[in-house]
Amino acid sequence: MEELLISYIKSKISVTEEETETILSYFKPIKLKKNELLLTNGQSSQRTFFVTSGCLRIFFINEEGQDSTRYFAFENQFATALVSFITSEPSEEFIQAVEDSEVYYITHKNFYHLLDIIPQWEKFYRIYLEIAYVTNTKRLMSFLVQDALEKYRQLLDENPIIVRRLSNKMVASYLNISQETLSRLKSRL
């Protein structure tokens, strides 16, 4: 599974074998059970995760007590509560394994240490931030300008794995619609 992480890093930056070994030495593997929480509201996000199998979900709970999913990370993707990871402030988000999962994590301290010792890690971080910015901006725009059907169609076009692998409850939470609305949309398409 470490090969996935190596391959991902090398697809973004050019690093020597020695630098690769150094980077990998800071990542630790963990196995997670379905529904296991990695971060809860109020904790500071001190780790970023790379998924080698399974799926992580980043979500928050709104004033009505309903969860709203911001992001799913499947195989070969990174995930963290990024605002908290950057600021070290308490997170308003939760991170949960929605399937039995295997991930690698790196601590905040070690991630920033790599910025100091491996010049290419700066480029990796920039790419990571750019991907996060584009993803989050597209999500925000979809909430502001698209109706439920348009959001669902876009999800099917851009990220069908969410619909294939996850429950209707999770998909509805991600689209910010009710499960009933999602069922109606599915029957229309």
Side-chain angles (χ1 to χ4, degrees), residues 3 20 26 32 64 67 78 80 113 141 143 176 178 180:
E3 300 81 33
T20 302
Y26 289 102
L32 306 166
E64 292 84 39
D67 64 84
F78 272 91
T80 192
H113 178 66
M141 287 171 39
F143 287 131
N176 200 29
S178 69
E180 295 78 17

Side-chain angles (χ1 to χ4, degrees), residues 137-169:
T137 301
K138 282 183 172 182
R139 293 254 312 132
L140 177 59
M141 287 171 39
S142 77
F143 287 131
L144 296 174
V145 301
Q146 292 179 324
D147 64 21
L149 181 59
E150 290 170 322
K151 287 191 285 189
Y152 184 62
R153 279 189 172 139
Q154 182 177 354
L155 180 63
L156 289 174
D157 287 344
E158 295 179 3
N159 217 342
I161 191 171
I162 292 173
V163 177
R164 282 197 313 267
R165 282 193 30 195
L166 303 177
S167 69
N168 280 351
K169 181 180 180 185

Side-chain angles (χ1 to χ4, degrees), residues 55-76:
C55 177
L56 300 182
R57 171 173 85 124
I58 300 174
F59 68 100
F60 60 92
I61 298 176
N62 66 22
E63 299 82 30
E64 292 84 39
Q66 297 189 336
D67 64 84
S68 294
T69 300
R70 178 177 64 80
Y71 183 69
F72 290 109
F74 293 94
E75 291 82 5
N76 217 29

Side-chain angles (χ1 to χ4, degrees), residues 103-155:
V103 303
Y104 282 88
Y105 74 89
I106 185 170
T107 65
H108 179 275
K109 178 182 173 187
N110 288 337
F111 190 96
Y112 280 85
H113 178 66
L114 287 176
L115 292 172
D116 292 333
I117 64 171
I118 297 183
Q120 280 290 304
W121 197 250
E122 284 271 356
K123 181 179 181 184
F124 181 85
Y125 190 34
R126 179 179 48 80
I127 293 167
Y128 180 88
L129 291 173
E130 288 173 351
I131 292 168
Y133 178 79
V134 169
T135 300
N136 288 333
T137 301
K138 282 183 172 182
R139 293 254 312 132
L140 177 59
M141 287 171 39
S142 77
F143 287 131
L144 296 174
V145 301
Q146 292 179 324
D147 64 21
L149 181 59
E150 290 170 322
K151 287 191 285 189
Y152 184 62
R153 279 189 172 139
Q154 182 177 354
L155 180 63

